[in-house]
Amino acid sequence: MAKKHTPQLIVALDVDTLEEAQALVGRLKEDVGIYKVGSQLFTACGPAVVRYLLKAGKKVFLDLKFHDIPNTVAQAVSAAVRLEEGGRGIFMCTLHVSGGGEMLRQAVMAATKTAQNIGVMKPLLVGITVLTSEGKRDNILQLVLEKARLAKESGLNGVVASCQEAAAIRDKFGDDFVIVTPGIRPEGSQAEDQKRAATPQEAVASGSDFLVVGRPIIKADNPSDVTKRILSIINQT
Ligand code: C5P
């Protein structure tokens, strides 16, 4: 059964410059407390955007989807944990479960040790299962559940998965296992490259903890209006 609770909104800052990111954060004001920094923005402006968000009092979800040999991923995760501002570090970061158990375990150890050493909270480490841009396949649920099991057994805090798999993950892995759901499309918006998309209502009902929304908000004529509409749906459902 899906968990009964109110998920939190994360806005994906998929823009090219620090100035665009700052303008969006300025427009969304207090409505949004968590921002996702992915490979597009981080490649363009690096740690500066993370420090800007932390200084602005926002939580940072660093979505760099690490996937490499165990040592390299462990070092990358340590570097991510060291991105702090005034004793506050990043809140969550991603790595590909398909990197394997050894890679995941070394990443967890590295995050724990670095966080202790520098005195910040260890970020939530969440595993990428199957990207939401992948279409429906017969065995997708089974594949996602297998990846979620490996993530949990390796010490990750949760997974990124589509709304279609969230309820099954919640049932199998319990209330403390974090589920992050991208591919959210309010009624009437374009699916774009997302194949396993869901409305905010469906995502809330699925028991996900965090709903990630990018283009429907950041490409909107009025990002603040769209955000308020999504928040009201989340809070009513
Ligand atoms: O624009 P849109 O709402 O589709 O953005 C979704 C965001 O979530 C993108 O930044 C994308 O990288 C990210 N994401 C995803 N699917 C995953 C993991 C992350 O779409 N499985």
Side-chain angles (χ1 to χ4, degrees), residues 12-14 36 38-39 61 63 65 94 128-133 160-162 182-185 191-194 212-216 218:
L13 281 175
D14 291 335
K36 184 171 90 70
S39 46
F61 171 21
D63 181 27
K65 301 187 175 67
T94 48
I128 304 293
T129 55
V130 178
L131 292 173
T132 40
S133 53
V160 181
S162 94
I184 307 295
R185 292 292 177 268
E192 287 129 334
D193 57 348
Q194 297 287 11
V212 178
V213 184
R215 288 162 290 183
I218 67 171

Side-chain angles (χ1 to χ4, degrees), residues 52-65:
Y52 155 71
L53 288 165
L54 292 173
K55 263 196 193 144
K58 304 299 179 187
K59 290 185 178 177
V60 176
F61 171 21
L62 190 65
D63 181 27
L64 298 180
K65 301 187 175 67

Side-chain angles (χ1 to χ4, degrees), residues 171-192:
D171 268 354
K172 268 205 158 23
F173 302 105
D175 277 358
D176 295 334
F177 199 57
V178 171
I179 305 175
V180 180
T181 302
I184 307 295
R185 292 292 177 268
E187 306 279 358
S189 61
Q190 299 280 329
E192 287 129 334

Side-chain angles (χ1 to χ4, degrees), residues 90-218:
I90 62 166
F91 161 69
M92 180 153 74
C93 80
T94 48
L95 47 172
H96 273 280
V97 177
S98 48
E102 183 58 24
M103 186 200 86
L104 300 174
R105 284 189 296 277
Q106 285 205 26
V108 173
M109 279 191 294
T112 308
K113 202 165 142 207
T114 305
Q116 265 168 9
N117 286 346
I118 66 168
V120 297
M121 290 264 289
K122 179 186 138 310
L124 298 172
L125 297 187
V126 295
I128 304 293
T129 55
V130 178
L131 292 173
T132 40
S133 53
E134 282 211 31
K136 289 182 186 154
R137 289 193 255 132
D138 283 350
N139 62 348
I140 217 150
L141 177 61
Q142 196 195 334
L143 194 61
V144 170
L145 291 175
E146 278 166 19
K147 286 188 190 271
R149 177 166 304 286
L150 179 58
K152 182 152 188 174
E153 285 172 359
S154 307
L156 295 200
N157 301 98
V159 287
V160 181
S162 94
C163 178
Q164 269 115 63
E165 297 97 35
I169 295 171
R170 178 67 67 222
D171 268 354
K172 268 205 158 23
F173 302 105
D175 277 358
D176 295 334
F177 199 57
V178 171
I179 305 175
V180 180
T181 302
I184 307 295
R185 292 292 177 268
E187 306 279 358
S189 61
Q190 299 280 329
E192 287 129 334
D193 57 348
Q194 297 287 11
K195 300 283 182 337
R196 287 159 31 246
T199 62
Q201 291 90 330
E202 289 167 329
V204 175
S206 75
S208 176
D209 298 288
F210 297 99
L211 312 190
V212 178
V213 184
R215 288 162 290 183
I217 289 177
I218 67 171

